[in-house]
């Protein structure tokens, strides 16, 4: 998606160190955003959509500097973090639609999204050329399954995983899941020494070391003292994802029209049952992806994962986690 750039390149940006947290989605981003929000050394700008929504971006570089990276003159903050998982997706909204705006249709999200990772990076570079970039990746088969479950609930997806994977939305995810290609685009724009890629598997198994490594990159001492208060996006039960997928067929097929009250009621009921089953540790054995799909995805990214591991000097660790 290419649009006319209206950035005033003559204005210099004088602010505290700026970081872009680029996601990826379903890798603990909500947890990290909560962690950043509790730290007095960090000014967090969360999903401001400046780069992903043209009417915002056209306000220019000065607007981003003075209004998005808030409080950059405050002695309280040592760094600025602009966090949005869409930065790794190159996801642009052609129209802002929110759940609190009625009428709402879940399928509208699929219609009003476009993807262009290079354009997203170009916009970020134009506004914060000295920024540093960090993100968290996850082994692709598990990542895709989590993304699929997320989009069944949030985007009204009603397809099987295999059909979703080859759909326009799934194809956009395939590009984002080529971590090495996305890394290379950011490294070309901001230089490799300013990029930090961490592993979700490390966060799960070695959380203390993970947080310390991130702290060292940011130059602040992140603390997990508020961990019990940090919001986490719970994983949706496979069984209830399947129910949601079937129920999504009851929704209005035209994303411009509001969905029926029956559809909304059934969705809410399934969501409550999902949470109850999770709390009771009841997990019906339902598979959303075939074993062949898992193997195909693993093979699809095997070579690029090796390239990323080499670039990041993470060969031993990524191989142990099964990236290749």
């Amino acid at each position: 998606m290419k649009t006319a750039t209206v950035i005033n390149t003559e204005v210099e940006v004088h602010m505290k160190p700026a970081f872009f947290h680029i996601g990826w989605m379903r890798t603990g981003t909500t947890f990290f955003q909560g962690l950043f929000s509790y730290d007095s050394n960090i000014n967090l700008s969360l999903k401001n959509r400046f780069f992903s929504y043209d009417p915002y971006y056209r306000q220019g570089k000065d607007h981003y500097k003075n209004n998005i990276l808030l409080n950059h003159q405050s002695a309280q903050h040592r760094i600025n973090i602009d966090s949005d998982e869409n930065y790794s997706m190159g996801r642009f909204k052609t129209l802002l639609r929110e759940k609190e705006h009625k009428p709402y249709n879940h399928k509208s999200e699929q219609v009003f999204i476009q993807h262009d990772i290079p354009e997203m990076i170009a916009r970020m570079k134009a506004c914060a050329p000295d920024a540093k970039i960090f993100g968290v990746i996850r082994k692709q088969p598990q990542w895709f399954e989590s993304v699929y479950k997320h989009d069944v609930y949030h985007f009204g997806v009603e397809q099987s995983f295999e059909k979703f994977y080859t759909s326009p939305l799934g194809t956009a995810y395939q590009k984002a899941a080529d971590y090495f290609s996305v890394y290379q685009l950011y490294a070309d724009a901001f230089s490799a020494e300013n990029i930090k890629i961490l592993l979700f598997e490390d966060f799960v198994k070695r959380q203390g070391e993970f947080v310390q490594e991130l702290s060292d990159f940011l130059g602040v001492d992140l603390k997990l003292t508020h961990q019990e208060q940090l919001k986490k996006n719970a994983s949706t039960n496979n069984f209830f994802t399947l129910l949601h997928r079937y129920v999504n067929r009851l929704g209005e097929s035209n994303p411009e029209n509001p969905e029926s009250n029956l559809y909304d009621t059934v969705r809410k009921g399934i969501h409550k049952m999902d949470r109850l089953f999770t709390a009771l540790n009841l997990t019906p054995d339902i598979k959303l992806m075939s074993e062949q799909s898992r193997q195909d995805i693993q093979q699809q990214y095997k070579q690029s994962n090796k390239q990323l591991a080499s670039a990041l000097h993470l060969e031993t660790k990524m191989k142990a986690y099964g990236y290749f």
Side-chain angles (χ1 to χ4, degrees), residues 61-89:
K61 184 175 179 179
D62 280 343
H63 179 82
Y64 182 77
K65 172 188 173 184
N66 296 317
N67 297 285
I68 304 301
L69 293 179
L70 301 173
N71 301 319
H72 59 271
Q73 299 295 340
S74 171
Q76 180 185 19
H77 300 120
R78 291 174 55 189
I79 64 171
N80 293 295
I81 295 180
D82 182 341
S83 179
D84 193 332
E85 59 199 12
N86 286 330
Y87 294 158
S88 59
M89 289 287 298

Side-chain angles (χ1 to χ4, degrees), residues 83-113:
S83 179
D84 193 332
E85 59 199 12
N86 286 330
Y87 294 158
S88 59
M89 289 287 298
R91 177 178 280 174
F92 294 85
K93 293 277 187 121
T94 59
L95 179 67
L96 287 182
R97 293 172 68 97
E98 299 296 340
K99 290 186 179 181
E100 60 267 20
H101 295 169
K102 298 296 182 182
Y104 181 81
N105 188 314
H106 286 78
K107 293 183 178 67
S108 67
E109 293 298 298
Q110 298 183 61
V111 176
F112 297 115
I113 288 176

